[in-house]
Amino acid sequence: MPRADFYLIAKDRFKAEPLRLVCELARKAYDANLWTLVLARDAAQAEELDELLWAFDEDAYIPHQIAGTDDEDELTPVLIATPDTDAPLRPLVINLRDDAVSGSFERVLEVVPADESARGPLRERWTQYKARGLEVNKHDM
């Protein structure tokens, strides 16, 4: 059964830099051999995440790239897609966009900002995923 996991940002290090949480999730996925698609909000966020992943952990390189930059997309374990890129879904999707992910995947990870005012759309997504029959979980980070 497909799953949706909502990660609520609570720790100060994630509040200051929410994309650090995305890096940690991507590293865990890579360590577990889960091919991951990160749906970035826009090109600027994709580039920021790309930079963070390069510098994230000096002991553990996470192979990644922005989708569409070369022909190696399907060979890269962590693919970052901008809204104008038509990248196929992967078993694990980390969603940073405003809409729920539709299509076929095993698991979607939603990063929930610490800011209460930004959580409205995520409550809606929770309901949408439940209505589609996904198992939904919440994790405080």
Side-chain angles (χ1 to χ4, degrees), residues 27 30-31 53-54 56-63:
R27 181 179 56 197
Y30 175 65
D31 289 346
L53 280 167
W54 278 111
F56 179 63
D57 186 340
E58 59 195 37
D59 299 324
Y61 170 66
I62 304 161

Side-chain angles (χ1 to χ4, degrees), residues 26-74:
R27 181 179 56 197
K28 283 182 181 165
Y30 175 65
D31 289 346
N33 285 323
L34 286 172
W35 287 64
T36 305
L37 178 67
V38 181
L39 297 176
R41 253 175 217 288
D42 53 36
Q45 186 183 54
E47 284 167 26
E48 186 182 350
L49 185 57
D50 181 46
E51 291 293 315
L52 267 175
L53 280 167
W54 278 111
F56 179 63
D57 186 340
E58 59 195 37
D59 299 324
Y61 170 66
I62 304 161
H64 69 281
Q65 72 178 34
I66 297 174
T69 49
D70 63 31
D71 298 335
E72 303 289 309
D73 284 3
E74 69 276 358

Side-chain angles (χ1 to χ4, degrees), residues 60-139:
Y61 170 66
I62 304 161
H64 69 281
Q65 72 178 34
I66 297 174
T69 49
D70 63 31
D71 298 335
E72 303 289 309
D73 284 3
E74 69 276 358
L75 303 175
T76 306
V78 177
L79 198 58
I80 304 164
T82 56
D84 58 353
T85 310
D86 189 23
L89 289 180
R90 291 181 162 192
L92 181 67
V93 179
I94 300 175
N95 186 26
L96 303 176
R97 297 184 190 161
D98 289 334
D99 298 320
V101 179
S102 56
S104 181
F105 53 81
E106 291 169 22
R107 201 167 158 214
V108 61
L109 310 183
E110 296 276 356
V111 175
V112 182
D115 179 8
E116 188 60 41
S117 66
R119 292 187 172 183
L122 286 138
R123 288 191 184 94
E124 213 171 282
R125 260 184 267 173
W126 177 286
T127 307
Q128 288 172 350
Y129 288 134
K130 273 190 97 69
R132 283 170 36 196
L134 273 71
E135 176 193 330
V136 182
N137 303 291
K138 176 177 86 78
H139 311 273

